[in-house]
Amino acid sequence: MDIQFTEEQELLRSSVQKLLRDQYDFDTRRKIVASEEGWSKKHWATFAELGLLAAPFSEEAGGLGGGSLATMIVMQEFGRHLVVEPFFETVVLAGGLIEQEGTDAQREEFLAPIMAGEAIWALAWTEGHSRYDLNNVATTAKRSGDTYVLNGAKAAVIGAPWADKLIVSARTLGGPRDHAGVSLFIVDRQSAGLHLQSFKTIDGRRAAEITLKDVVVPAGHLLGTEGKGVAALEACRDRAIAAQCAEATGAMGELNAATLEYTKTRKQFGVTLGTFQVLQHRMVDMFIALEEATSLSQHLNLTMAGGDPQGSKLASGAKSKIGEAARFVGEQAIQLHGGMGMSDELNVGHYFKRIASINIQFGDPTYHLLRYARAS
């Protein structure tokens, strides 16, 4: 599959490519990751000025109306450059939930600062025992007058150390594994009783373990219908998978390009590696894996844009297939580069770490293979 982009989509892609090529090379990215904050407010402001943070949102919500295809374009280019700024966490996850589940007042209050680059958000849904089950929620929310009181813990919340606000899943009714009874709440990160233990992830990003002890949330910060949070999270997961598949193909493309260039210049036994037929075959396999993954990513994002009811099943199939393909490309790239493939100075290892991180977010390839089979 090869999408024929519209003039506006081509303009978006070329604008992102030029920006990142000029201002976000590998050395710049390494300095950002090594900094105390771990992300660049300057680049985030530039993304906002370019309209990237508004691109996926509908025109009714104040965005540019690009939808999932705009997200795909941005995420693929971000994948090529290993961008660490929280576009995925803030725009795709939190912004998508607010747009789809929020009231008119909530959309008006919260989406404009996101699109202007003035607010950072994170989604706190994972718990230490939950694995990938969206309904396995032990965190509780008890109604008390015009407020809810939250108690519990969330694990490995990506982007939480940077966030101004969090979307937290908590159980308002039922048992720990019930599908019904989970609700979503907008929580200020500076709320009394909310504590973060920050850490750096394997791919250079920042995450946190979060504990909530008697955290008071206004009833007006309930996002969506009380007790219907799992359905909202399932739709969010599908959008997240579509975005991450696009990011993975961007990373795969750079790994292929770097490995091809290396095999053309690195000599062994007096000849370049690229002259060995067995290595040529491996490079062809890497190229085929990339082409298949790119086609599947485009198919998934087109399906999501069209609102196809089979989109959720396709998302699981794509997550499994592209996850395995990305891991294969990453492993081949490292092996063909030799020991230096995992050195901090070379970008190959950093791409592999990012792929590994993508593969375990919202379900690993094995989990989604089984989910796809059950849906058949």
Side-chain angles (χ1 to χ4, degrees):
M1 175 176 288
D2 186 15
I3 293 179
Q4 297 299 312
F5 290 114
T6 66
E7 183 178 346
E8 290 79 7
Q9 290 166 344
E10 285 288 0
L11 179 60
L12 173 63
R13 182 165 64 171
S14 63
S15 298
V16 180
Q17 288 175 341
K18 184 178 187 304
L19 171 66
L20 299 180
R21 183 175 60 248
D22 295 343
Q23 300 185 25
Y24 213 99
D25 60 19
F26 180 61
D27 287 337
T28 299
R29 191 257 186 193
R30 287 183 65 196
K31 291 176 182 177
I32 291 172
V33 170
S35 68
E36 183 177 350
E37 289 192 323
W39 70 296
S40 170
K41 293 181 179 180
K42 176 183 176 182
H43 284 93
W44 187 251
T46 302
F47 296 161
E49 290 172 6
L50 196 61
L52 304 189
L53 308 187
F57 296 108
S58 66
E59 294 180 1
E60 293 76 12
L64 301 181
S68 60
L69 293 182
T71 300
M72 180 189 73
I73 291 169
V74 173
M75 288 295 291
Q76 186 172 33
E77 298 307 322
F78 278 12
R80 294 185 193 279
H81 291 264
L82 293 174
V83 172
V84 296
E85 281 66 36
F87 176 89
F88 176 71
E89 292 78 15
T90 298
V91 176
V92 179
L93 300 184
L97 278 169
I98 294 168
E99 182 175 24
Q100 296 299 318
E101 302 297 326
T103 63
D104 290 341
Q106 288 172 338
R107 286 193 287 267
E108 184 176 351
E109 179 180 359
F110 298 122
L111 288 183
I114 287 176
M115 289 185 272
E118 298 168 355
I120 305 296
W121 289 64
L123 173 61
W125 69 274
T126 54
E127 298 187 1
H129 59 277
S130 64
R131 291 290 288 168
Y132 305 125
D133 295 330
L134 301 171
N135 60 296
N136 194 348
V137 178
T139 299
T140 61
K142 303 295 184 182
R143 184 71 183 253
S144 177
D146 292 333
T147 65
Y148 288 88
V149 180
L150 275 60
N151 284 279
K154 295 295 179 179
V157 182
I158 307 298
W162 304 328
D164 304 299
K165 294 186 182 297
L166 307 168
I167 296 178
V168 179
S169 62
R171 185 163 292 282
T172 49
L173 184 69
R177 293 178 179 271
D178 291 348
H179 191 277
V182 174
S183 303
L184 302 177
F185 297 91
I186 297 170
V187 181
D188 194 306
R189 208 202 78 177
Q190 303 301 326
S191 298
L194 190 153
H195 302 283
L196 277 73
Q197 184 174 352
S198 303
F199 60 91
K200 184 181 288 188
T201 61
I202 62 168
D203 56 345
R205 300 179 182 224
R206 305 294 168 88
E209 304 290 306
I210 297 176
T211 57
L212 304 106
K213 186 175 182 180
D214 297 330
V215 175
V216 178
V217 179
H221 282 194
L222 171 69
L223 185 63
T225 305
E226 182 175 324
K228 303 294 185 181
V230 172
L233 288 173
E234 288 173 342
C236 176
R237 176 180 58 193
D238 294 340
R239 294 191 296 269
I241 289 172
Q244 287 194 319
C245 284
E247 183 184 2
T249 62
M252 292 168 67
E254 291 302 305
L255 282 171
N256 274 11
T259 306
L260 179 61
E261 181 63 26
Y262 181 75
T263 57
K264 287 180 177 179
T265 56
R266 178 71 166 90
K267 288 187 175 182
Q268 192 170 19
F269 307 114
V271 295
T272 59
L273 291 176
T275 60
F276 293 102
Q277 191 176 49
V278 65
L279 299 187
Q280 293 174 2
H281 290 169
R282 289 171 68 177
M283 290 297 301
V284 169
D285 289 340
M286 292 170 67
F287 175 78
I288 292 172
L290 170 61
E291 290 298 300
E292 290 178 343
T294 301
S295 293
L296 186 51
S297 172
Q298 292 180 351
H299 178 43
L300 172 59
N301 277 279
L302 280 173
T303 301
M304 297 294 293
D308 192 313
Q310 292 296 311
S312 185
K313 177 183 176 181
L314 179 59
S316 280
K319 186 69 156 67
S320 179
K321 178 68 174 179
I322 294 176
E324 293 290 356
R327 182 165 57 194
F328 168 77
V329 169
E331 289 171 348
Q332 296 301 310
I334 288 174
Q335 190 172 45
L336 289 171
H337 276 84
M340 65 183 295
M342 286 302 291
S343 65
D344 187 66
E345 292 75 20
L346 201 67
N347 62 4
V348 171
H350 294 265
Y351 281 106
F352 183 77
K353 291 174 184 177
R354 180 57 190 153
I355 285 170
S357 181
I358 290 173
N359 270 0
I360 61 173
Q361 284 189 269
F362 289 94
D364 61 21
T366 300
Y367 172 87
H368 280 286
L369 178 62
L370 294 174
R371 183 172 181 266
Y372 182 87
R374 289 194 296 267
S376 298

